[in-house]
Amino acid sequence: MYSDKVMDHFEHPRNVGEIADASGVGTVGNARCGDIMRIYLDIDENQIIRDCKFKTFGCGAAVATSSMATELVKGKSIREAMEVTNKAVMEALDGLPPVKVHCSLLAEEAIHAALWDYAQKNGIQIEGLEQPKSDISEHEEEEEY
Ligand code: FES
């Protein structure tokens, strides 16, 4: 059912954790299943993503897509990171079963939410970036998950 790459990223997720004093943090929830993902970005003065970490309280496909998404945005400019769509993440993972496609949306939304946070903090606009609909960071309590 799952590709070798999905299984690899699920069993050995890359970039799990958090970044203290991150340039941008985005937390999103999936309305269909209630799963939650948070992405941390460390962005340098040239708008290059130096580091990226994630925490996911969700299914295996969500873990695998977050892992791959963080790998894809690391070292990229914020403009290039905007091109890391759920489709790009799925392709990099050699596909997901149709029933799991919505899980990959979480990764794209979390990256966008973190970029939005970065843009807000720095008073800049990122072309093509809209305010995340499902950013739940303002409504949650500060607790680990
Ligand atoms: Fe919730 Fe996959 S089932 S993100």
Side-chain angles (χ1 to χ4, degrees):
M1 178 172 177
Y2 291 112
S3 72
D4 290 346
K5 280 195 190 157
V6 173
M7 290 312 293
D8 180 33
H9 278 264
F10 170 60
E11 285 171 3
H12 312 285
R14 285 41 153 199
N15 311 310
V16 176
E18 50 189 280
I19 297 175
D21 300 323
S23 316
V25 182
T27 309
V28 295
N30 188 317
R32 280 175 65 176
C33 60
D35 290 349
I36 294 170
M37 183 184 299
R38 178 176 290 170
I39 292 236
Y40 301 81
L41 297 175
D42 177 22
I43 301 173
D44 73 11
E45 59 284 359
N46 298 315
Q47 300 192 338
I48 302 293
I49 297 170
R50 247 190 312 231
D51 200 8
C52 180
K53 299 246 188 254
F54 80 92
K55 280 183 175 179
T56 291
F57 181 80
C59 72
V63 171
T65 49
S66 336
S67 169
M68 181 56 93
T70 54
E71 285 286 271
L72 290 176
V73 299
K74 251 211 253 187
K76 298 255 168 79
S77 67
I78 55 177
R79 186 182 296 262
E80 289 165 333
M82 286 295 293
E83 283 159 28
V84 178
T85 58
N86 78 307
K87 196 161 165 275
V89 174
M90 280 198 297
E91 274 170 21
L93 285 169
D94 293 337
L96 278 174
V99 65
K100 287 286 171 187
V101 169
H102 73 277
C103 316
S104 66
L105 272 173
L106 216 48
E108 178 186 319
E109 287 174 4
I111 290 171
H112 286 181
L115 286 172
W116 179 264
D117 183 40
Y118 164 76
Q120 293 288 101
K121 282 179 179 155
N122 290 278
I124 59 165
Q125 287 210 332
I126 299 174
E127 209 184 312
L129 183 64
E130 288 172 13
Q131 181 164 15
K133 287 185 209 70
S134 53
D135 192 326
I136 55 173
S137 57
E138 283 167 28
H139 311 295
E140 75 192 6
E141 286 156 31
E142 276 303 305
E143 58 183 31
E144 294 288 297
Y145 46 75

